[in-house]
Amino acid sequence: MADHDEIWAEALQEAYASAPTDEVILHTLELRHPSFLENGEETPIRVVRDFGELLEIGDPDIFGHLLGLELDAPEDPGETVRFIACMFDIDLPAQREGGVPEVEISLDNVTREVSKYLDAATETRVPVELTYREYLASDKTEPQFILHGLTLSRVKTNVFRITGTASFVDLVNKSFPGKVYRPSEFKGLSS
Protein backbone atom coordinates (compact mmCIF):
# COMPACT_ATOMS: atom_id res chain seq x y z
CA MET A 1 0.00 0.00 0.00
CA ALA A 2 1.26 3.44 -0.84
CA ASP A 3 0.63 5.18 2.49
CA HIS A 4 0.53 3.01 5.61
CA ASP A 5 -1.03 5.84 7.64
CA GLU A 6 -4.20 5.63 5.56
CA ILE A 7 -6.37 2.53 5.83
CA TRP A 8 -7.35 2.72 2.15
CA ALA A 9 -4.88 3.56 -0.59
CA GLU A 10 -5.60 6.72 -2.56
CA ALA A 11 -6.40 4.77 -5.75
CA LEU A 12 -9.02 2.69 -3.94
CA GLN A 13 -10.57 5.78 -2.33
CA GLU A 14 -10.87 7.30 -5.80
CA ALA A 15 -12.45 4.13 -7.21
CA TYR A 16 -15.05 4.05 -4.42
CA ALA A 17 -15.79 7.77 -4.69
CA SER A 18 -16.12 8.04 -8.47
CA ALA A 19 -17.31 4.48 -9.22
CA PRO A 20 -15.84 4.33 -12.73
CA THR A 21 -17.42 1.64 -14.90
CA ASP A 22 -14.05 0.39 -16.11
CA GLU A 23 -12.56 -0.23 -12.63
CA VAL A 24 -13.28 -3.43 -10.74
CA ILE A 25 -12.48 -3.96 -7.06
CA LEU A 26 -11.28 -7.49 -6.33
CA HIS A 27 -12.25 -8.72 -2.84
CA THR A 28 -10.03 -11.50 -1.48
CA LEU A 29 -9.75 -13.74 1.57
CA GLU A 30 -6.71 -15.60 2.81
CA LEU A 31 -7.22 -18.32 5.43
CA ARG A 32 -4.28 -19.88 7.29
CA HIS A 33 -4.23 -22.98 9.49
CA PRO A 34 -1.60 -25.61 10.39
CA SER A 35 -3.78 -28.36 8.84
CA PHE A 36 -3.86 -26.67 5.41
CA LEU A 37 -1.11 -28.81 3.89
CA GLU A 38 0.02 -29.17 0.29
CA ASN A 39 2.84 -31.68 -0.30
CA GLY A 40 3.57 -31.69 3.44
CA GLU A 41 3.95 -27.88 3.69
CA GLU A 42 1.55 -25.39 5.27
CA THR A 43 -0.33 -23.60 2.53
CA PRO A 44 -2.90 -20.79 2.87
CA ILE A 45 -6.28 -20.86 1.15
CA ARG A 46 -6.63 -17.78 -1.06
CA VAL A 47 -9.92 -16.94 -2.76
CA VAL A 48 -11.09 -13.98 -4.86
CA ARG A 49 -14.68 -12.90 -5.46
CA ASP A 50 -14.32 -12.66 -9.22
CA PHE A 51 -14.30 -15.26 -11.99
CA GLY A 52 -10.94 -14.02 -13.25
CA GLU A 53 -9.11 -16.02 -15.87
CA LEU A 54 -8.14 -19.63 -16.43
CA LEU A 55 -5.16 -20.36 -14.16
CA GLU A 56 -4.88 -24.14 -14.42
CA ILE A 57 -6.41 -26.76 -16.68
CA GLY A 58 -7.53 -29.84 -14.81
CA ASP A 59 -10.52 -31.55 -13.30
CA PRO A 60 -11.97 -29.08 -12.56
CA ASP A 61 -10.32 -26.14 -14.35
CA ILE A 62 -9.17 -23.48 -11.88
CA PHE A 63 -10.07 -19.85 -12.44
CA GLY A 64 -8.98 -16.80 -10.48
CA HIS A 65 -6.28 -14.12 -10.38
CA LEU A 66 -2.55 -13.84 -9.78
CA LEU A 67 -2.15 -11.02 -7.24
CA GLY A 68 0.82 -9.45 -5.48
CA LEU A 69 1.03 -9.54 -1.69
CA GLU A 70 2.22 -6.77 0.60
CA LEU A 71 5.79 -6.87 1.90
CA ASP A 72 4.65 -7.67 5.46
CA ALA A 73 2.15 -10.41 4.52
CA PRO A 74 1.93 -13.31 7.01
CA GLU A 75 2.72 -15.83 4.22
CA ASP A 76 4.70 -15.32 0.99
CA PRO A 77 5.44 -11.61 1.59
CA GLY A 78 5.98 -9.56 -1.56
CA GLU A 79 5.25 -12.51 -3.88
CA THR A 80 2.64 -12.85 -6.63
CA VAL A 81 0.32 -15.70 -5.65
CA ARG A 82 -2.79 -17.49 -6.94
CA PHE A 83 -6.25 -16.56 -5.66
CA ILE A 84 -8.94 -19.08 -6.69
CA ALA A 85 -12.33 -17.81 -7.89
CA CYS A 86 -14.95 -18.48 -5.20
CA MET A 87 -18.19 -16.72 -4.36
CA PHE A 88 -18.17 -15.30 -0.85
CA ASP A 89 -19.87 -12.57 1.14
CA ILE A 90 -18.19 -10.44 3.75
CA ASP A 91 -19.67 -7.87 6.12
CA LEU A 92 -16.84 -5.66 7.35
CA PRO A 93 -16.90 -4.65 11.02
CA ALA A 94 -19.07 -1.75 12.06
CA GLN A 95 -17.40 1.10 13.89
CA ARG A 96 -19.30 1.27 17.15
CA GLU A 97 -18.46 1.79 20.79
CA GLY A 98 -18.51 -0.95 23.37
CA GLY A 99 -18.08 -3.99 21.15
CA VAL A 100 -15.31 -6.03 19.62
CA PRO A 101 -15.33 -5.56 15.84
CA GLU A 102 -16.44 -8.72 14.03
CA VAL A 103 -16.52 -9.71 10.37
CA GLU A 104 -19.26 -12.01 9.06
CA ILE A 105 -18.10 -14.30 6.25
CA SER A 106 -19.88 -16.86 4.10
CA LEU A 107 -18.47 -18.97 1.27
CA ASP A 108 -20.94 -20.42 -1.25
CA ASN A 109 -20.49 -23.59 -3.30
CA VAL A 110 -16.96 -24.07 -1.99
CA THR A 111 -14.75 -25.72 -4.59
CA ARG A 112 -12.99 -29.02 -3.96
CA GLU A 113 -9.71 -27.08 -3.83
CA VAL A 114 -10.95 -25.18 -0.77
CA SER A 115 -13.23 -27.70 0.97
CA LYS A 116 -10.49 -30.33 1.40
CA TYR A 117 -8.57 -27.90 3.61
CA LEU A 118 -11.57 -26.69 5.59
CA ASP A 119 -12.54 -30.27 6.43
CA ALA A 120 -9.09 -30.84 7.97
CA ALA A 121 -9.34 -27.66 10.08
CA THR A 122 -12.54 -28.82 11.78
CA GLU A 123 -10.64 -31.67 13.41
CA THR A 124 -8.41 -29.40 15.52
CA ARG A 125 -8.95 -26.69 18.11
CA VAL A 126 -6.45 -24.29 16.51
CA PRO A 127 -8.21 -21.17 15.16
CA VAL A 128 -8.15 -20.31 11.46
CA GLU A 129 -6.37 -17.00 10.82
CA LEU A 130 -7.85 -14.68 8.21
CA THR A 131 -6.71 -11.72 6.09
CA TYR A 132 -9.07 -9.67 3.91
CA ARG A 133 -7.61 -7.64 1.02
CA GLU A 134 -9.01 -5.43 -1.73
CA TYR A 135 -7.22 -4.95 -5.06
CA LEU A 136 -7.95 -2.85 -8.10
CA ALA A 137 -8.20 -4.99 -11.24
CA SER A 138 -6.05 -2.36 -12.98
CA ASP A 139 -3.26 -2.82 -10.40
CA LYS A 140 -2.79 -6.40 -9.25
CA THR A 141 0.73 -5.75 -7.91
CA GLU A 142 -0.33 -4.91 -4.35
CA PRO A 143 -3.49 -4.69 -2.23
CA GLN A 144 -5.13 -1.30 -1.78
CA PHE A 145 -6.78 -2.24 1.55
CA ILE A 146 -5.74 -4.89 4.08
CA LEU A 147 -7.46 -6.19 7.21
CA HIS A 148 -5.02 -8.41 9.18
CA GLY A 149 -5.24 -10.08 12.57
CA LEU A 150 -8.58 -11.86 12.35
CA THR A 151 -9.42 -15.38 13.56
CA LEU A 152 -12.39 -17.38 12.34
CA SER A 153 -14.82 -18.77 14.89
CA ARG A 154 -18.43 -19.90 15.23
CA VAL A 155 -18.26 -21.74 11.91
CA LYS A 156 -21.39 -23.42 10.53
CA THR A 157 -21.48 -25.54 7.41
CA ASN A 158 -24.03 -27.23 5.23
CA VAL A 159 -23.96 -28.71 1.74
CA PHE A 160 -24.12 -25.31 0.03
CA ARG A 161 -22.50 -22.77 2.34
CA ILE A 162 -19.91 -22.22 5.04
CA THR A 163 -20.48 -19.28 7.39
CA GLY A 164 -18.38 -17.94 10.20
CA THR A 165 -17.54 -14.95 12.31
CA ALA A 166 -14.05 -13.51 12.37
CA SER A 167 -12.82 -11.23 15.14
CA PHE A 168 -9.55 -9.61 16.04
CA VAL A 169 -7.18 -11.68 18.15
CA ASP A 170 -6.92 -10.45 21.72
CA LEU A 171 -7.62 -6.84 20.75
CA VAL A 172 -7.88 -5.78 24.40
CA ASN A 173 -4.32 -6.84 25.25
CA LYS A 174 -2.73 -5.47 22.09
CA SER A 175 -0.32 -2.61 22.69
CA PHE A 176 -1.14 0.76 21.20
CA PRO A 177 0.40 2.33 19.20
CA GLY A 178 2.36 -0.91 18.86
CA LYS A 179 5.73 0.61 19.66
CA VAL A 180 7.59 0.00 22.90
CA TYR A 181 9.39 3.15 24.00
CA ARG A 182 12.69 2.14 25.57
CA PRO A 183 15.12 4.53 27.25
CA SER A 184 17.95 3.08 25.12
CA GLU A 185 16.20 4.36 21.97
CA PHE A 186 14.52 7.46 23.40
CA LYS A 187 17.05 9.21 25.61
CA GLY A 188 14.47 11.73 26.89
CA LEU A 189 12.70 8.97 28.84
CA SER A 190 15.59 8.45 31.26
CA SER A 191 16.54 10.98 33.88
Side-chain angles (χ1 to χ4, degrees):
M1 287 177 32
D3 184 0
H4 293 286
D5 294 332
E6 293 292 327
I7 194 164
W8 284 282
E10 187 176 323
L12 187 63
Q13 289 178 26
E14 183 179 325
Y16 275 128
S18 62
T21 57
D22 61 337
E23 187 63 83
V24 175
I25 297 169
L26 302 173
H27 303 271
T28 68
L29 289 176
E30 177 181 283
L31 298 110
R32 296 174 303 281
H33 191 270
S35 69
F36 298 166
L37 300 174
E38 185 75 35
N39 298 325
E41 289 190 33
E42 238 180 272
T43 248
I45 296 172
R46 295 186 176 110
V47 295
V48 58
R49 191 172 68 184
D50 185 74
F51 189 71
E53 56 198 43
L54 180 63
L55 297 176
E56 188 178 310
I57 295 175
D59 182 29
D61 294 338
I62 297 175
F63 289 84
H65 288 278
L66 296 175
L67 302 169
L69 296 178
E70 65 278 10
L71 294 176
D72 61 345
E75 295 285 331
D76 309 315
E79 292 184 27
T80 299
V81 296
R82 178 179 80 170
F83 283 79
I84 298 171
C86 180
M87 182 56 206
F88 66 86
D89 288 322
I90 183 164
D91 291 326
L92 294 176
Q95 295 183 7
R96 64 177 191 269
E97 282 188 43
V100 175
E102 293 183 332
V103 176
E104 297 295 323
I105 295 169
S106 60
L107 293 124
D108 293 326
N109 298 325
V110 178
T111 66
R112 280 187 276 170
E113 287 291 311
V114 174
S115 63
K116 67 182 178 184
Y117 296 116
L118 293 176
D119 289 342
T122 60
E123 298 174 12
T124 68
R125 297 184 63 91
V126 178
V128 175
E129 296 176 2
L130 178 101
T131 299
Y132 170 75
R133 298 179 181 93
E134 292 178 2
Y135 292 82
L136 292 175
S138 63
D139 180 10
K140 298 179 181 182
T141 60
E142 65 178 344
Q144 302 294 315
F145 172 75
I146 306 166
L147 197 54
H148 279 301
L150 294 162
T151 58
L152 195 57
S153 61
R154 296 192 304 258
V155 177
K156 297 177 190 166
T157 135
N158 63 35
V159 178
F160 304 108
R161 175 176 264 212
I162 296 171
T163 59
T165 302
S167 55
F168 291 94
V169 183
D170 201 15
L171 191 61
V172 174
N173 292 321
K174 227 176 171 126
S175 63
F176 180 82
K179 174 104 176 113
V180 176
Y181 293 92
R182 293 185 171 86
S184 60
E185 295 175 55
F186 299 93
K187 303 295 182 197
L189 292 176
S190 57
S191 40

mmCIF file of all heavy atoms in Angstrom, residues 125-157:
data_model
loop_
_atom_site.group_PDB
_atom_site.id
_atom_site.type_symbol
_atom_site.label_atom_id
_atom_site.label_comp_id
_atom_site.label_asym_id
_atom_site.label_seq_id
_atom_site.Cartn_x
_atom_site.Cartn_y
_atom_site.Cartn_z
ATOM 1 N N ARG A 125 -8.445 -27.827 17.345
ATOM 2 C CA ARG A 125 -8.946 -26.687 18.110
ATOM 3 C C ARG A 125 -8.156 -25.412 17.824
ATOM 4 O O ARG A 125 -8.374 -24.400 18.457
ATOM 5 C CB ARG A 125 -8.902 -27.022 19.596
ATOM 6 C CG ARG A 125 -9.795 -28.191 19.951
ATOM 7 C CD ARG A 125 -9.827 -28.450 21.429
ATOM 8 N NE ARG A 125 -10.378 -27.366 22.200
ATOM 9 C CZ ARG A 125 -11.656 -27.236 22.525
ATOM 10 N NH1 ARG A 125 -12.516 -28.132 22.119
ATOM 11 N NH2 ARG A 125 -12.064 -26.225 23.241
ATOM 12 N N VAL A 126 -7.251 -25.464 16.873
ATOM 13 C CA VAL A 126 -6.452 -24.293 16.510
ATOM 14 C C VAL A 126 -7.309 -23.371 15.645
ATOM 15 O O VAL A 126 -7.939 -23.837 14.686
ATOM 16 C CB VAL A 126 -5.181 -24.728 15.729
ATOM 17 C CG1 VAL A 126 -4.367 -23.532 15.305
ATOM 18 C CG2 VAL A 126 -4.359 -25.684 16.567
ATOM 19 N N PRO A 127 -7.364 -22.064 15.954
ATOM 20 C CA PRO A 127 -8.207 -21.169 15.158
ATOM 21 C C PRO A 127 -7.640 -20.932 13.757
ATOM 22 O O PRO A 127 -6.436 -21.017 13.530
ATOM 23 C CB PRO A 127 -8.202 -19.864 15.973
ATOM 24 C CG PRO A 127 -6.977 -19.923 16.798
ATOM 25 C CD PRO A 127 -6.694 -21.378 17.063
ATOM 26 N N VAL A 128 -8.529 -20.657 12.831
ATOM 27 C CA VAL A 128 -8.154 -20.312 11.462
ATOM 28 C C VAL A 128 -7.896 -18.810 11.422
ATOM 29 O O VAL A 128 -8.741 -18.013 11.827
ATOM 30 C CB VAL A 128 -9.272 -20.694 10.461
ATOM 31 C CG1 VAL A 128 -8.933 -20.221 9.059
ATOM 32 C CG2 VAL A 128 -9.518 -22.190 10.485
ATOM 33 N N GLU A 129 -6.704 -18.419 10.957
ATOM 34 C CA GLU A 129 -6.368 -16.995 10.817
ATOM 35 C C GLU A 129 -6.859 -16.506 9.471
ATOM 36 O O GLU A 129 -6.883 -17.260 8.494
ATOM 37 C CB GLU A 129 -4.860 -16.796 10.927
ATOM 38 C CG GLU A 129 -4.302 -17.165 12.275
ATOM 39 C CD GLU A 129 -2.787 -17.059 12.325
ATOM 40 O OE1 GLU A 129 -2.163 -16.654 11.317
ATOM 41 O OE2 GLU A 129 -2.224 -17.394 13.375
ATOM 42 N N LEU A 130 -7.227 -15.223 9.409
ATOM 43 C CA LEU A 130 -7.845 -14.681 8.211
ATOM 44 C C LEU A 130 -7.285 -13.306 7.877
ATOM 45 O O LEU A 130 -7.039 -12.499 8.779
ATOM 46 C CB LEU A 130 -9.349 -14.581 8.455
ATOM 47 C CG LEU A 130 -10.177 -14.001 7.341
ATOM 48 C CD1 LEU A 130 -10.850 -15.125 6.588
ATOM 49 C CD2 LEU A 130 -11.217 -13.073 7.905
ATOM 50 N N THR A 131 -7.078 -13.048 6.588
ATOM 51 C CA THR A 131 -6.713 -11.720 6.093
ATOM 52 C C THR A 131 -7.648 -11.384 4.940
ATOM 53 O O THR A 131 -7.872 -12.209 4.060
ATOM 54 C CB THR A 131 -5.255 -11.670 5.590
ATOM 55 O OG1 THR A 131 -4.379 -11.985 6.676
ATOM 56 C CG2 THR A 131 -4.890 -10.299 5.059
ATOM 57 N N TYR A 132 -8.205 -10.174 4.987
ATOM 58 C CA TYR A 132 -9.066 -9.674 3.914
ATOM 59 C C TYR A 132 -8.300 -8.583 3.174
ATOM 60 O O TYR A 132 -7.690 -7.709 3.801
ATOM 61 C CB TYR A 132 -10.364 -9.114 4.502
ATOM 62 C CG TYR A 132 -11.207 -8.361 3.510
ATOM 63 C CD1 TYR A 132 -11.936 -9.044 2.541
ATOM 64 C CD2 TYR A 132 -11.275 -6.979 3.532
ATOM 65 C CE1 TYR A 132 -12.712 -8.351 1.625
ATOM 66 C CE2 TYR A 132 -12.044 -6.288 2.624
ATOM 67 C CZ TYR A 132 -12.761 -6.973 1.668
ATOM 68 O OH TYR A 132 -13.516 -6.294 0.760
ATOM 69 N N ARG A 133 -8.297 -8.649 1.845
ATOM 70 C CA ARG A 133 -7.611 -7.639 1.023
ATOM 71 C C ARG A 133 -8.524 -7.200 -0.114
ATOM 72 O O ARG A 133 -9.322 -7.982 -0.612
ATOM 73 C CB ARG A 133 -6.328 -8.213 0.415
ATOM 74 C CG ARG A 133 -5.275 -8.645 1.392
ATOM 75 C CD ARG A 133 -4.051 -9.225 0.644
ATOM 76 N NE ARG A 133 -3.034 -9.678 1.559
ATOM 77 C CZ ARG A 133 -2.935 -10.924 2.020
ATOM 78 N NH1 ARG A 133 -3.794 -11.843 1.638
ATOM 79 N NH2 ARG A 133 -1.957 -11.262 2.848
ATOM 80 N N GLU A 134 -8.335 -5.943 -0.533
ATOM 81 C CA GLU A 134 -9.005 -5.427 -1.728
ATOM 82 C C GLU A 134 -7.936 -4.970 -2.705
ATOM 83 O O GLU A 134 -6.974 -4.301 -2.315
ATOM 84 C CB GLU A 134 -9.923 -4.262 -1.387
ATOM 85 C CG GLU A 134 -11.123 -4.656 -0.561
ATOM 86 C CD GLU A 134 -12.011 -3.473 -0.191
ATOM 87 O OE1 GLU A 134 -11.720 -2.331 -0.611
ATOM 88 O OE2 GLU A 134 -12.998 -3.702 0.520
ATOM 89 N N TYR A 135 -8.116 -5.340 -3.968
ATOM 90 C CA TYR A 135 -7.223 -4.953 -5.057
ATOM 91 C C TYR A 135 -8.024 -4.202 -6.105
ATOM 92 O O TYR A 135 -9.238 -4.395 -6.220
ATOM 93 C CB TYR A 135 -6.624 -6.188 -5.750
ATOM 94 C CG TYR A 135 -5.656 -6.987 -4.932
ATOM 95 C CD1 TYR A 135 -6.100 -7.918 -4.002
ATOM 96 C CD2 TYR A 135 -4.288 -6.848 -5.110
ATOM 97 C CE1 TYR A 135 -5.205 -8.680 -3.263
ATOM 98 C CE2 TYR A 135 -3.387 -7.603 -4.373
ATOM 99 C CZ TYR A 135 -3.855 -8.516 -3.456
ATOM 100 O OH TYR A 135 -2.967 -9.263 -2.728
ATOM 101 N N LEU A 136 -7.354 -3.398 -6.896
ATOM 102 C CA LEU A 136 -7.947 -2.847 -8.103
ATOM 103 C C LEU A 136 -7.555 -3.770 -9.247
ATOM 104 O O LEU A 136 -6.388 -4.175 -9.350
ATOM 105 C CB LEU A 136 -7.428 -1.433 -8.373
ATOM 106 C CG LEU A 136 -7.867 -0.357 -7.376
ATOM 107 C CD1 LEU A 136 -7.189 0.966 -7.695
ATOM 108 C CD2 LEU A 136 -9.376 -0.197 -7.388
ATOM 109 N N ALA A 137 -8.506 -4.103 -10.114
ATOM 110 C CA ALA A 137 -8.202 -4.992 -11.238
ATOM 111 C C ALA A 137 -7.150 -4.374 -12.149
ATOM 112 O O ALA A 137 -6.409 -5.087 -12.816
ATOM 113 C CB ALA A 137 -9.472 -5.304 -12.018
ATOM 114 N N SER A 138 -7.045 -3.042 -12.144
ATOM 115 C CA SER A 138 -6.050 -2.364 -12.981
ATOM 116 C C SER A 138 -4.657 -2.379 -12.360
ATOM 117 O O SER A 138 -3.679 -2.048 -13.022
ATOM 118 C CB SER A 138 -6.484 -0.921 -13.243
ATOM 119 O OG SER A 138 -6.547 -0.210 -12.015
ATOM 120 N N ASP A 139 -4.555 -2.751 -11.080
ATOM 121 C CA ASP A 139 -3.259 -2.821 -10.401
ATOM 122 C C ASP A 139 -3.244 -4.031 -9.476
ATOM 123 O O ASP A 139 -3.608 -3.949 -8.307
ATOM 124 C CB ASP A 139 -2.999 -1.541 -9.604
ATOM 125 C CG ASP A 139 -1.651 -1.557 -8.877
ATOM 126 O OD1 ASP A 139 -0.839 -2.480 -9.133
ATOM 127 O OD2 ASP A 139 -1.409 -0.663 -8.051
ATOM 128 N N LYS A 140 -2.800 -5.153 -10.010
ATOM 129 C CA LYS A 140 -2.787 -6.404 -9.251
ATOM 130 C C LYS A 140 -1.466 -6.614 -8.516
ATOM 131 O O LYS A 140 -1.234 -7.665 -7.937
ATOM 132 C CB LYS A 140 -3.039 -7.585 -10.188
ATOM 133 C CG LYS A 140 -4.396 -7.539 -10.861
ATOM 134 C CD LYS A 140 -4.562 -8.719 -11.787
ATOM 135 C CE LYS A 140 -5.900 -8.688 -12.485
ATOM 136 N NZ LYS A 140 -6.079 -9.857 -13.354
ATOM 137 N N THR A 141 -0.594 -5.596 -8.505
ATOM 138 C CA THR A 141 0.726 -5.751 -7.907
ATOM 139 C C THR A 141 0.712 -5.705 -6.391
ATOM 140 O O THR A 141 1.584 -6.282 -5.751
ATOM 141 C CB THR A 141 1.691 -4.662 -8.422
ATOM 142 O OG1 THR A 141 1.160 -3.373 -8.077
ATOM 143 C CG2 THR A 141 1.887 -4.774 -9.925
ATOM 144 N N GLU A 142 -0.259 -4.997 -5.801
ATOM 145 C CA GLU A 142 -0.335 -4.910 -4.349
ATOM 146 C C GLU A 142 -1.753 -4.585 -3.926
ATOM 147 O O GLU A 142 -2.501 -3.959 -4.667
ATOM 148 C CB GLU A 142 0.630 -3.852 -3.802
ATOM 149 C CG GLU A 142 0.301 -2.442 -4.209
ATOM 150 C CD GLU A 142 1.250 -1.419 -3.621
ATOM 151 O OE1 GLU A 142 1.977 -1.733 -2.669
ATOM 152 O OE2 GLU A 142 1.244 -0.289 -4.120
ATOM 153 N N PRO A 143 -2.144 -5.005 -2.707
ATOM 154 C CA PRO A 143 -3.489 -4.692 -2.232
ATOM 155 C C PRO A 143 -3.621 -3.200 -1.909
ATOM 156 O O PRO A 143 -2.658 -2.546 -1.521
ATOM 157 C CB PRO A 143 -3.634 -5.540 -0.969
ATOM 158 C CG PRO A 143 -2.255 -5.895 -0.554
ATOM 159 C CD PRO A 143 -1.397 -5.828 -1.769
ATOM 160 N N GLN A 144 -4.836 -2.705 -2.077
ATOM 161 C CA GLN A 144 -5.134 -1.304 -1.778
ATOM 162 C C GLN A 144 -5.731 -1.147 -0.380
ATOM 163 O O GLN A 144 -5.768 -0.051 0.147
ATOM 164 C CB GLN A 144 -6.107 -0.747 -2.822
ATOM 165 C CG GLN A 144 -5.596 -0.846 -4.239
ATOM 166 C CD GLN A 144 -4.377 0.031 -4.467
ATOM 167 O OE1 GLN A 144 -4.339 1.173 -4.052
ATOM 168 N NE2 GLN A 144 -3.371 -0.515 -5.118
ATOM 169 N N PHE A 145 -6.202 -2.236 0.202
ATOM 170 C CA PHE A 145 -6.777 -2.242 1.545
ATOM 171 C C PHE A 145 -6.488 -3.607 2.147
ATOM 172 O O PHE A 145 -6.630 -4.625 1.475
ATOM 173 C CB PHE A 145 -8.284 -1.988 1.485
ATOM 174 C CG PHE A 145 -8.991 -2.168 2.800
ATOM 175 C CD1 PHE A 145 -8.886 -1.227 3.804
ATOM 176 C CD2 PHE A 145 -9.763 -3.300 3.045
ATOM 177 C CE1 PHE A 145 -9.537 -1.399 5.021
ATOM 178 C CE2 PHE A 145 -10.414 -3.479 4.254
ATOM 179 C CZ PHE A 145 -10.298 -2.514 5.237
ATOM 180 N N ILE A 146 -6.081 -3.626 3.416
ATOM 181 C CA ILE A 146 -5.738 -4.888 4.084
ATOM 182 C C ILE A 146 -6.349 -4.887 5.478
ATOM 183 O O ILE A 146 -6.259 -3.904 6.205
ATOM 184 C CB ILE A 146 -4.211 -5.050 4.227
ATOM 185 C CG1 ILE A 146 -3.525 -4.911 2.881
ATOM 186 C CG2 ILE A 146 -3.873 -6.383 4.871
ATOM 187 C CD1 ILE A 146 -2.025 -4.718 2.985
ATOM 188 N N LEU A 147 -6.943 -5.998 5.856
ATOM 189 C CA LEU A 147 -7.457 -6.189 7.207
ATOM 190 C C LEU A 147 -6.818 -7.460 7.746
ATOM 191 O O LEU A 147 -7.189 -8.570 7.377
ATOM 192 C CB LEU A 147 -8.983 -6.308 7.165
ATOM 193 C CG LEU A 147 -9.759 -6.114 8.441
ATOM 194 C CD1 LEU A 147 -9.422 -4.784 9.109
ATOM 195 C CD2 LEU A 147 -11.243 -6.183 8.164
ATOM 196 N N HIS A 148 -5.785 -7.293 8.591
ATOM 197 C CA HIS A 148 -5.024 -8.405 9.182
ATOM 198 C C HIS A 148 -5.526 -8.696 10.595
ATOM 199 O O HIS A 148 -6.249 -7.916 11.182
ATOM 200 C CB HIS A 148 -3.544 -8.008 9.354
ATOM 201 C CG HIS A 148 -2.716 -8.117 8.133
ATOM 202 N ND1 HIS A 148 -2.536 -9.271 7.431
ATOM 203 C CD2 HIS A 148 -1.970 -7.175 7.498
ATOM 204 C CE1 HIS A 148 -1.730 -9.048 6.416
ATOM 205 N NE2 HIS A 148 -1.375 -7.777 6.430
ATOM 206 N N GLY A 149 -5.059 -9.794 11.145
ATOM 207 C CA GLY A 149 -5.239 -10.077 12.570
ATOM 208 C C GLY A 149 -6.585 -10.636 12.952
ATOM 209 O O GLY A 149 -7.008 -10.489 14.098
ATOM 210 N N LEU A 150 -7.275 -11.283 12.046
ATOM 211 C CA LEU A 150 -8.580 -11.861 12.345
ATOM 212 C C LEU A 150 -8.467 -13.369 12.546
ATOM 213 O O LEU A 150 -7.623 -14.021 11.927
ATOM 214 C CB LEU A 150 -9.549 -11.597 11.187
ATOM 215 C CG LEU A 150 -9.911 -10.139 10.941
ATOM 216 C CD1 LEU A 150 -10.479 -9.968 9.544
ATOM 217 C CD2 LEU A 150 -10.902 -9.665 11.977
ATOM 218 N N THR A 151 -9.316 -13.919 13.429
ATOM 219 C CA THR A 151 -9.417 -15.375 13.565
ATOM 220 C C THR A 151 -10.871 -15.766 13.355
ATOM 221 O O THR A 151 -11.787 -15.076 13.789
ATOM 222 C CB THR A 151 -8.945 -15.885 14.945
ATOM 223 O OG1 THR A 151 -9.713 -15.256 15.958
ATOM 224 C CG2 THR A 151 -7.481 -15.623 15.155
ATOM 225 N N LEU A 152 -11.059 -16.891 12.690
ATOM 226 C CA LEU A 152 -12.389 -17.376 12.338
ATOM 227 C C LEU A 152 -12.933 -18.234 13.472
ATOM 228 O O LEU A 152 -12.241 -19.096 13.997
ATOM 229 C CB LEU A 152 -12.295 -18.186 11.046
ATOM 230 C CG LEU A 152 -13.569 -18.492 10.294
ATOM 231 C CD1 LEU A 152 -14.309 -17.220 9.924
ATOM 232 C CD2 LEU A 152 -13.246 -19.292 9.048
ATOM 233 N N SER A 153 -14.180 -17.983 13.832
ATOM 234 C CA SER A 153 -14.820 -18.769 14.892
ATOM 235 C C SER A 153 -16.299 -18.931 14.561
ATOM 236 O O SER A 153 -16.784 -18.379 13.585
ATOM 237 C CB SER A 153 -14.645 -18.073 16.250
ATOM 238 O OG SER A 153 -15.254 -16.803 16.215
ATOM 239 N N ARG A 154 -16.995 -19.655 15.404
ATOM 240 C CA ARG A 154 -18.431 -19.900 15.226
ATOM 241 C C ARG A 154 -18.746 -20.279 13.778
ATOM 242 O O ARG A 154 -19.584 -19.669 13.128
ATOM 243 C CB ARG A 154 -19.248 -18.680 15.668
ATOM 244 C CG ARG A 154 -19.112 -18.386 17.145
ATOM 245 C CD ARG A 154 -20.109 -17.386 17.654
ATOM 246 N NE ARG A 154 -20.129 -16.113 16.973
ATOM 247 C CZ ARG A 154 -19.583 -14.991 17.431
ATOM 248 N NH1 ARG A 154 -18.949 -15.001 18.578
ATOM 249 N NH2 ARG A 154 -19.683 -13.871 16.769
ATOM 250 N N VAL A 155 -18.090 -21.299 13.301
ATOM 251 C CA VAL A 155 -18.257 -21.744 11.914
ATOM 252 C C VAL A 155 -19.421 -22.727 11.821
ATOM 253 O O VAL A 155 -19.549 -23.631 12.633
ATOM 254 C CB VAL A 155 -16.960 -22.408 11.391
ATOM 255 C CG1 VAL A 155 -17.142 -22.935 9.982
ATOM 256 C CG2 VAL A 155 -15.810 -21.429 11.450
ATOM 257 N N LYS A 156 -20.280 -22.514 10.815
ATOM 258 C CA LYS A 156 -21.395 -23.422 10.525
ATOM 259 C C LYS A 156 -21.271 -23.834 9.071
ATOM 260 O O LYS A 156 -20.916 -23.031 8.216
ATOM 261 C CB LYS A 156 -22.734 -22.717 10.741
ATOM 262 C CG LYS A 156 -22.987 -22.284 12.157
ATOM 263 C CD LYS A 156 -24.291 -21.528 12.248
ATOM 264 C CE LYS A 156 -24.424 -20.895 13.615
ATOM 265 N NZ LYS A 156 -25.487 -19.899 13.651
ATOM 266 N N THR A 157 -21.584 -25.081 8.788
ATOM 267 C CA THR A 157 -21.481 -25.538 7.412
ATOM 268 C C THR A 157 -22.667 -26.404 7.039
ATOM 269 O O THR A 157 -23.233 -27.094 7.881
ATOM 270 C CB THR A 157 -20.156 -26.307 7.159
ATOM 271 O OG1 THR A 157 -20.376 -27.463 6.434
ATOM 272 C CG2 THR A 157 -19.388 -26.577 8.338
#
